[in-house]
PDB file of all heavy atoms in Angstrom:
ATOM      1  N   ALA X   1      84.599  82.964 102.215  1.00  0.00           N
ATOM      2  CA  ALA X   1      86.004  83.271 101.936  1.00  0.00           C
ATOM      3  C   ALA X   1      86.228  84.778 101.857  1.00  0.00           C
ATOM      4  O   ALA X   1      87.236  85.296 102.355  1.00  0.00           O
ATOM      5  CB  ALA X   1      86.435  82.602 100.635  1.00  0.00           C
ATOM      6  N   SER X   2      85.297  85.496 101.251  1.00  0.00           N
ATOM      7  CA  SER X   2      85.408  86.954 101.161  1.00  0.00           C
ATOM      8  C   SER X   2      85.322  87.597 102.536  1.00  0.00           C
ATOM      9  O   SER X   2      86.070  88.525 102.847  1.00  0.00           O
ATOM     10  CB  SER X   2      84.313  87.515 100.261  1.00  0.00           C
ATOM     11  OG  SER X   2      84.430  87.005  98.962  1.00  0.00           O
ATOM     12  N   LEU X   3      84.414  87.108 103.358  1.00  0.00           N
ATOM     13  CA  LEU X   3      84.270  87.641 104.711  1.00  0.00           C
ATOM     14  C   LEU X   3      85.527  87.369 105.538  1.00  0.00           C
ATOM     15  O   LEU X   3      86.014  88.245 106.260  1.00  0.00           O
ATOM     16  CB  LEU X   3      83.041  87.037 105.381  1.00  0.00           C
ATOM     17  CG  LEU X   3      82.683  87.576 106.760  1.00  0.00           C
ATOM     18  CD1 LEU X   3      82.389  89.068 106.694  1.00  0.00           C
ATOM     19  CD2 LEU X   3      81.471  86.838 107.307  1.00  0.00           C
ATOM     20  N   ALA X   4      86.067  86.173 105.421  1.00  0.00           N
ATOM     21  CA  ALA X   4      87.304  85.835 106.139  1.00  0.00           C
ATOM     22  C   ALA X   4      88.454  86.725 105.675  1.00  0.00           C
ATOM     23  O   ALA X   4      89.254  87.195 106.491  1.00  0.00           O
ATOM     24  CB  ALA X   4      87.646  84.364 105.934  1.00  0.00           C
ATOM     25  N   SER X   5      88.535  86.984 104.379  1.00  0.00           N
ATOM     26  CA  SER X   5      89.576  87.847 103.841  1.00  0.00           C
ATOM     27  C   SER X   5      89.431  89.272 104.360  1.00  0.00           C
ATOM     28  O   SER X   5      90.418  89.916 104.745  1.00  0.00           O
ATOM     29  CB  SER X   5      89.519  87.834 102.316  1.00  0.00           C
ATOM     30  OG  SER X   5      90.518  88.654 101.772  1.00  0.00           O
ATOM     31  N   LEU X   6      88.210  89.772 104.382  1.00  0.00           N
ATOM     32  CA  LEU X   6      87.958  91.117 104.889  1.00  0.00           C
ATOM     33  C   LEU X   6      88.364  91.227 106.356  1.00  0.00           C
ATOM     34  O   LEU X   6      89.071  92.162 106.751  1.00  0.00           O
ATOM     35  CB  LEU X   6      86.478  91.479 104.722  1.00  0.00           C
ATOM     36  CG  LEU X   6      86.062  92.832 105.271  1.00  0.00           C
ATOM     37  CD1 LEU X   6      86.643  93.948 104.420  1.00  0.00           C
ATOM     38  CD2 LEU X   6      84.558  92.934 105.328  1.00  0.00           C
ATOM     39  N   ILE X   7      87.953  90.251 107.158  1.00  0.00           N
ATOM     40  CA  ILE X   7      88.308  90.254 108.583  1.00  0.00           C
ATOM     41  C   ILE X   7      89.824  90.184 108.750  1.00  0.00           C
ATOM     42  O   ILE X   7      90.406  90.891 109.578  1.00  0.00           O
ATOM     43  CB  ILE X   7      87.602  89.095 109.322  1.00  0.00           C
ATOM     44  CG1 ILE X   7      86.100  89.361 109.378  1.00  0.00           C
ATOM     45  CG2 ILE X   7      88.187  88.893 110.717  1.00  0.00           C
ATOM     46  CD1 ILE X   7      85.283  88.170 109.841  1.00  0.00           C
ATOM     47  N   TRP X   8      90.488  89.344 107.947  1.00  0.00           N
ATOM     48  CA  TRP X   8      91.936  89.194 108.037  1.00  0.00           C
ATOM     49  C   TRP X   8      92.646  90.513 107.748  1.00  0.00           C
ATOM     50  O   TRP X   8      93.521  90.935 108.504  1.00  0.00           O
ATOM     51  CB  TRP X   8      92.420  88.108 107.086  1.00  0.00           C
ATOM     52  CG  TRP X   8      93.897  88.091 106.908  1.00  0.00           C
ATOM     53  CD1 TRP X   8      94.609  88.485 105.823  1.00  0.00           C
ATOM     54  CD2 TRP X   8      94.878  87.681 107.875  1.00  0.00           C
ATOM     55  NE1 TRP X   8      95.945  88.342 106.036  1.00  0.00           N
ATOM     56  CE2 TRP X   8      96.141  87.849 107.288  1.00  0.00           C
ATOM     57  CE3 TRP X   8      94.797  87.190 109.167  1.00  0.00           C
ATOM     58  CZ2 TRP X   8      97.318  87.549 107.956  1.00  0.00           C
ATOM     59  CZ3 TRP X   8      95.972  86.888 109.830  1.00  0.00           C
ATOM     60  CH2 TRP X   8      97.210  87.061 109.224  1.00  0.00           C
ATOM     61  N   PHE X   9      92.298  91.179 106.642  1.00  0.00           N
ATOM     62  CA  PHE X   9      93.014  92.394 106.270  1.00  0.00           C
ATOM     63  C   PHE X   9      92.701  93.563 107.201  1.00  0.00           C
ATOM     64  O   PHE X   9      93.587  94.367 107.503  1.00  0.00           O
ATOM     65  CB  PHE X   9      92.745  92.758 104.810  1.00  0.00           C
ATOM     66  CG  PHE X   9      93.501  91.872 103.864  1.00  0.00           C
ATOM     67  CD1 PHE X   9      92.834  90.980 103.047  1.00  0.00           C
ATOM     68  CD2 PHE X   9      94.880  91.922 103.807  1.00  0.00           C
ATOM     69  CE1 PHE X   9      93.533  90.162 102.177  1.00  0.00           C
ATOM     70  CE2 PHE X   9      95.591  91.104 102.948  1.00  0.00           C
ATOM     71  CZ  PHE X   9      94.920  90.215 102.130  1.00  0.00           C
ATOM     72  N   VAL X  10      91.492  93.662 107.696  1.00  0.00           N
ATOM     73  CA  VAL X  10      91.171  94.706 108.669  1.00  0.00           C
ATOM     74  C   VAL X  10      91.939  94.442 109.971  1.00  0.00           C
ATOM     75  O   VAL X  10      92.533  95.360 110.556  1.00  0.00           O
ATOM     76  CB  VAL X  10      89.651  94.788 108.921  1.00  0.00           C
ATOM     77  CG1 VAL X  10      89.333  95.656 110.110  1.00  0.00           C
ATOM     78  CG2 VAL X  10      88.941  95.312 107.676  1.00  0.00           C
ATOM     79  N   SER X  11      91.962  93.194 110.423  1.00  0.00           N
ATOM     80  CA  SER X  11      92.716  92.837 111.635  1.00  0.00           C
ATOM     81  C   SER X  11      94.209  93.091 111.450  1.00  0.00           C
ATOM     82  O   SER X  11      94.885  93.564 112.372  1.00  0.00           O
ATOM     83  CB  SER X  11      92.502  91.370 111.991  1.00  0.00           C
ATOM     84  OG  SER X  11      91.155  91.115 112.237  1.00  0.00           O
ATOM     85  N   LEU X  12      94.722  92.798 110.277  1.00  0.00           N
ATOM     86  CA  LEU X  12      96.131  93.027 109.985  1.00  0.00           C
ATOM     87  C   LEU X  12      96.460  94.513 110.054  1.00  0.00           C
ATOM     88  O   LEU X  12      97.492  94.902 110.622  1.00  0.00           O
ATOM     89  CB  LEU X  12      96.451  92.472 108.596  1.00  0.00           C
ATOM     90  CG  LEU X  12      97.902  92.335 108.209  1.00  0.00           C
ATOM     91  CD1 LEU X  12      98.610  91.357 109.133  1.00  0.00           C
ATOM     92  CD2 LEU X  12      97.998  91.864 106.775  1.00  0.00           C
ATOM     93  N   GLY X  13      95.587  95.339 109.519  1.00  0.00           N
ATOM     94  CA  GLY X  13      95.803  96.784 109.557  1.00  0.00           C
ATOM     95  C   GLY X  13      95.777  97.342 110.962  1.00  0.00           C
ATOM     96  O   GLY X  13      96.695  98.063 111.382  1.00  0.00           O
ATOM     97  N   TYR X  14      94.740  97.015 111.717  1.00  0.00           N
ATOM     98  CA  TYR X  14      94.650  97.514 113.089  1.00  0.00           C
ATOM     99  C   TYR X  14      95.693  96.871 113.995  1.00  0.00           C
ATOM    100  O   TYR X  14      96.222  97.508 114.903  1.00  0.00           O
ATOM    101  CB  TYR X  14      93.248  97.297 113.668  1.00  0.00           C
ATOM    102  CG  TYR X  14      92.249  98.285 113.127  1.00  0.00           C
ATOM    103  CD1 TYR X  14      91.211  97.868 112.313  1.00  0.00           C
ATOM    104  CD2 TYR X  14      92.345  99.640 113.429  1.00  0.00           C
ATOM    105  CE1 TYR X  14      90.289  98.776 111.809  1.00  0.00           C
ATOM    106  CE2 TYR X  14      91.435 100.553 112.935  1.00  0.00           C
ATOM    107  CZ  TYR X  14      90.405 100.107 112.113  1.00  0.00           C
ATOM    108  OH  TYR X  14      89.516 101.008 111.621  1.00  0.00           O
ATOM    109  N   GLY X  15      95.991  95.600 113.742  1.00  0.00           N
ATOM    110  CA  GLY X  15      97.011  94.914 114.540  1.00  0.00           C
ATOM    111  C   GLY X  15      98.392  95.496 114.325  1.00  0.00           C
ATOM    112  O   GLY X  15      99.178  95.616 115.266  1.00  0.00           O
ATOM    113  N   SER X  16      98.702  95.873 113.090  1.00  0.00           N
ATOM    114  CA  SER X  16     100.014  96.466 112.830  1.00  0.00           C
ATOM    115  C   SER X  16     100.141  97.831 113.488  1.00  0.00           C
ATOM    116  O   SER X  16     101.208  98.198 113.981  1.00  0.00           O
ATOM    117  CB  SER X  16     100.263  96.582 111.325  1.00  0.00           C
ATOM    118  OG  SER X  16      99.333  97.464 110.734  1.00  0.00           O
ATOM    119  N   LYS X  17      99.048  98.560 113.532  1.00  0.00           N
ATOM    120  CA  LYS X  17      99.074  99.850 114.215  1.00  0.00           C
ATOM    121  C   LYS X  17      99.299  99.642 115.712  1.00  0.00           C
ATOM    122  O   LYS X  17     100.073 100.363 116.337  1.00  0.00           O
ATOM    123  CB  LYS X  17      97.765 100.594 113.970  1.00  0.00           C
ATOM    124  CG  LYS X  17      97.736 101.963 114.566  1.00  0.00           C
ATOM    125  CD  LYS X  17      96.428 102.666 114.264  1.00  0.00           C
ATOM    126  CE  LYS X  17      96.402 104.038 114.919  1.00  0.00           C
ATOM    127  NZ  LYS X  17      95.134 104.718 114.689  1.00  0.00           N
ATOM    128  N   ALA X  18      98.650  98.656 116.275  1.00  0.00           N
ATOM    129  CA  ALA X  18      98.784  98.378 117.700  1.00  0.00           C
ATOM    130  C   ALA X  18     100.171  97.827 118.043  1.00  0.00           C
ATOM    131  O   ALA X  18     100.710  98.099 119.114  1.00  0.00           O
ATOM    132  CB  ALA X  18      97.708  97.396 118.151  1.00  0.00           C
ATOM    133  N   ALA X  19     100.760  97.058 117.128  1.00  0.00           N
ATOM    134  CA  ALA X  19     102.051  96.423 117.402  1.00  0.00           C
ATOM    135  C   ALA X  19     103.239  97.310 117.035  1.00  0.00           C
ATOM    136  O   ALA X  19     104.388  96.939 117.310  1.00  0.00           O
ATOM    137  CB  ALA X  19     102.152  95.107 116.638  1.00  0.00           C
ATOM    138  N   ALA X  20     102.997  98.465 116.443  1.00  0.00           N
ATOM    139  CA  ALA X  20     104.089  99.320 115.974  1.00  0.00           C
ATOM    140  C   ALA X  20     105.039  99.708 117.105  1.00  0.00           C
ATOM    141  O   ALA X  20     106.261  99.716 116.925  1.00  0.00           O
ATOM    142  CB  ALA X  20     103.529 100.569 115.303  1.00  0.00           C
ATOM    143  N   ARG X  21     104.511 100.012 118.258  1.00  0.00           N
ATOM    144  CA  ARG X  21     105.356 100.441 119.381  1.00  0.00           C
ATOM    145  C   ARG X  21     106.241  99.290 119.861  1.00  0.00           C
ATOM    146  O   ARG X  21     107.425  99.485 120.142  1.00  0.00           O
ATOM    147  CB  ARG X  21     104.467 100.940 120.519  1.00  0.00           C
ATOM    148  CG  ARG X  21     105.194 101.872 121.448  1.00  0.00           C
ATOM    149  CD  ARG X  21     104.279 102.483 122.471  1.00  0.00           C
ATOM    150  NE  ARG X  21     103.342 103.408 121.807  1.00  0.00           N
ATOM    151  CZ  ARG X  21     102.210 103.825 122.329  1.00  0.00           C
ATOM    152  NH1 ARG X  21     101.848 103.409 123.516  1.00  0.00           N
ATOM    153  NH2 ARG X  21     101.432 104.660 121.682  1.00  0.00           N
ATOM    154  N   VAL X  22     105.671  98.103 119.935  1.00  0.00           N
ATOM    155  CA  VAL X  22     106.445  96.938 120.381  1.00  0.00           C
ATOM    156  C   VAL X  22     107.485  96.548 119.337  1.00  0.00           C
ATOM    157  O   VAL X  22     108.622  96.220 119.667  1.00  0.00           O
ATOM    158  CB  VAL X  22     105.496  95.749 120.669  1.00  0.00           C
ATOM    159  CG1 VAL X  22     106.276  94.502 121.002  1.00  0.00           C
ATOM    160  CG2 VAL X  22     104.528  96.096 121.777  1.00  0.00           C
ATOM    161  N   MET X  23     107.108  96.612 118.064  1.00  0.00           N
ATOM    162  CA  MET X  23     108.011  96.203 116.989  1.00  0.00           C
ATOM    163  C   MET X  23     109.119  97.214 116.731  1.00  0.00           C
ATOM    164  O   MET X  23     110.041  96.939 115.968  1.00  0.00           O
ATOM    165  CB  MET X  23     107.219  95.942 115.709  1.00  0.00           C
ATOM    166  CG  MET X  23     106.231  94.794 115.814  1.00  0.00           C
ATOM    167  SD  MET X  23     106.958  93.242 116.381  1.00  0.00           S
ATOM    168  CE  MET X  23     107.911  92.780 114.968  1.00  0.00           C
ATOM    169  N   ALA X  24     109.057  98.368 117.361  1.00  0.00           N
ATOM    170  CA  ALA X  24     110.104  99.371 117.200  1.00  0.00           C
ATOM    171  C   ALA X  24     111.357  99.010 117.997  1.00  0.00           C
ATOM    172  O   ALA X  24     112.419  99.582 117.764  1.00  0.00           O
ATOM    173  CB  ALA X  24     109.583 100.743 117.630  1.00  0.00           C
ATOM    174  N   ARG X  25     111.244  98.059 118.908  1.00  0.00           N
ATOM    175  CA  ARG X  25     112.382  97.662 119.739  1.00  0.00           C
ATOM    176  C   ARG X  25     113.221  96.593 119.041  1.00  0.00           C
ATOM    177  O   ARG X  25     112.681  95.606 118.533  1.00  0.00           O
ATOM    178  CB  ARG X  25     111.894  97.100 121.066  1.00  0.00           C
ATOM    179  CG  ARG X  25     111.159  98.099 121.899  1.00  0.00           C
ATOM    180  CD  ARG X  25     110.844  97.508 123.254  1.00  0.00           C
ATOM    181  NE  ARG X  25     109.538  97.979 123.673  1.00  0.00           N
ATOM    182  CZ  ARG X  25     108.704  97.302 124.406  1.00  0.00           C
ATOM    183  NH1 ARG X  25     109.007  96.089 124.817  1.00  0.00           N
ATOM    184  NH2 ARG X  25     107.545  97.814 124.751  1.00  0.00           N
TER     185      ARG X  25
END
């Protein structure tokens, strides 16, 4: 559960950075 949580929050952080340009529209 801890590993899944770590992967989730790291993915959320990097994913939000990657999606920022698309979400600006």
Side-chain angles (χ1 to χ4, degrees):
S2 299
L3 185 61
S5 180
L6 177 70
I7 291 169
W8 168 253
F9 284 113
V10 169
S11 299
L12 193 62
Y14 284 113
S16 64
K17 183 179 178 182
R21 203 173 292 161
V22 175
M23 296 306 289
R25 297 186 217 148

